[in-house]
Amino acid sequence: MNLLFATNAKAFEPSFGYWLKKLAPGFHSKIADVGCGNGQLLYELYASGYTDLHGFDPFMEKDQVINANLHLRKQRIEESESTFDLIMMHHAFEHMESPMETLQACFDKLNPGGKLLIRTPVTDAEIWKEKRELWVQLDAPRHLVIPSVVGFERLSKAIGFDLYEVLFDSSAFQFWGTALYEQGFTLRPNLVDELYSKEELVSLDEKALLYNKEGIGDQVCFFLTKPI
């Protein structure tokens, strides 16, 4: 398992560029986004040329067939009869009631050699150790489970996955979001410019990159594959 950290994205690169490059799906790969919300990420992937896109979210209002290439379904992935080449969960895993059942469902729905991407907060975070209940990504009661890197690795391996890479990609949000809570504010990003100068925000960005490099940032990308 490789431990890596995210650097700043290149100009004109889409926001999903850094993890998509590592997954390297073909444009005709069958891709599922679990906890897709309004499907914004899938729309962006469609606009980038991907042709077999499926969103799953039991909390959306209704199924939506955007076109032949993009379907959004009001259901859990466990209910799907399809299998996929790539399954993604972008800050959805921490909302799942049973992490083992969720990972098992992803394993079952992946084709052999298929990949799973999970982006989630982790308790390896230095900000969690320092601020405890004030940590912005603790987010109780919406977040039901926040794993450690080691704990997630053990769970995923028990199911049969190969966890081949962990990429720390946390941002300055961990600092300013926690600071808002610490000062008694609700989470209102518009307050950030009032509380911090541009120079201070740049410094927080640099601190986040350092934390990622040291493996103490507050969120990661887990890259997993289902053995052939």
Side-chain angles (χ1 to χ4, degrees):
M1 176 183 66
N2 292 325
L3 291 173
L4 300 173
F5 68 100
T7 56
N8 291 326
K10 296 179 180 178
F12 308 115
E13 185 175 83
S15 61
F16 48 79
Y18 67 94
W19 52 258
L20 190 66
K21 282 183 178 179
K22 291 184 175 297
L23 293 166
F27 284 110
H28 301 299
S29 297
K30 194 168 187 176
I31 300 173
D33 186 13
V34 176
C36 65
N38 65 6
Q40 179 62 38
L41 174 59
L42 292 172
Y43 294 140
E44 293 179 22
L45 290 174
Y46 170 69
S48 298
Y50 292 90
T51 63
D52 201 350
L53 301 165
H54 306 263
F56 296 90
D57 197 322
F59 298 105
M60 70 173 58
E61 185 176 343
K62 61 181 180 179
D63 289 359
Q64 298 181 57
V65 179
I66 309 304
N67 56 39
N69 307 103
L70 176 53
H71 300 249
L72 305 179
R73 293 179 173 82
K74 180 181 171 59
Q75 63 177 192
R76 298 180 182 275
I77 194 169
E78 293 91 329
E79 302 172 81
S80 174
E81 297 180 357
S82 300
T83 57
F84 302 91
D85 302 308
L86 169 62
I87 298 175
M88 310 178 295
M89 275 189 276
H90 297 274
H91 292 274
F93 182 77
E94 59 267 30
H95 298 275
M96 302 297 177
E97 296 176 359
S98 175
M100 177 168 279
E101 290 180 9
T102 297
L103 284 175
Q104 184 65 60
C106 291
F107 188 88
D108 294 342
K109 297 299 179 182
L110 275 175
N111 296 321
K115 295 179 180 179
L116 172 64
L117 168 68
I118 293 182
R119 300 179 62 223
T120 183
V122 288
T123 57
D124 302 75
E126 184 67 22
I127 193 74
W128 156 244
K129 296 172 184 177
E130 292 178 355
K131 301 298 183 178
R132 307 304 289 183
E133 71 274 6
L134 294 172
W135 176 34
V136 66
Q137 296 221 63
L138 189 62
D139 202 13
R142 295 192 321 118
H143 288 179
L144 302 178
V145 57
I146 300 179
S148 67
V149 170
V150 170
F152 184 90
E153 181 180 22
R154 289 174 179 169
L155 180 61
S156 61
K157 284 188 174 181
I159 289 169
F161 278 111
D162 173 24
L163 176 61
Y164 63 92
E165 194 165 293
V166 177
L167 171 69
F168 278 81
D169 72 338
S170 57
S171 69
F173 172 64
Q174 64 190 303
F175 306 121
W176 61 256
T178 299
L180 288 177
Y181 286 164
E182 195 169 23
Q183 296 178 53
F185 296 110
T186 56
L187 189 59
R188 289 183 288 163
N190 61 304
L191 288 175
V192 175
D193 291 336
E194 298 178 19
L195 296 174
Y196 295 98
S197 67
K198 290 183 179 180
E199 292 76 16
E200 288 172 326
L201 289 174
V202 169
S203 179
L204 291 181
D205 287 334
E206 293 173 348
K207 184 178 180 180
L209 288 173
L210 178 63
Y211 273 31
N212 288 338
K213 187 174 182 179
E214 295 178 348
I216 57 173
D218 77 334
Q219 65 183 41
V220 304
C221 306
F222 289 118
F223 295 88
L224 307 100
T225 188
K226 179 177 179 176
I228 297 176

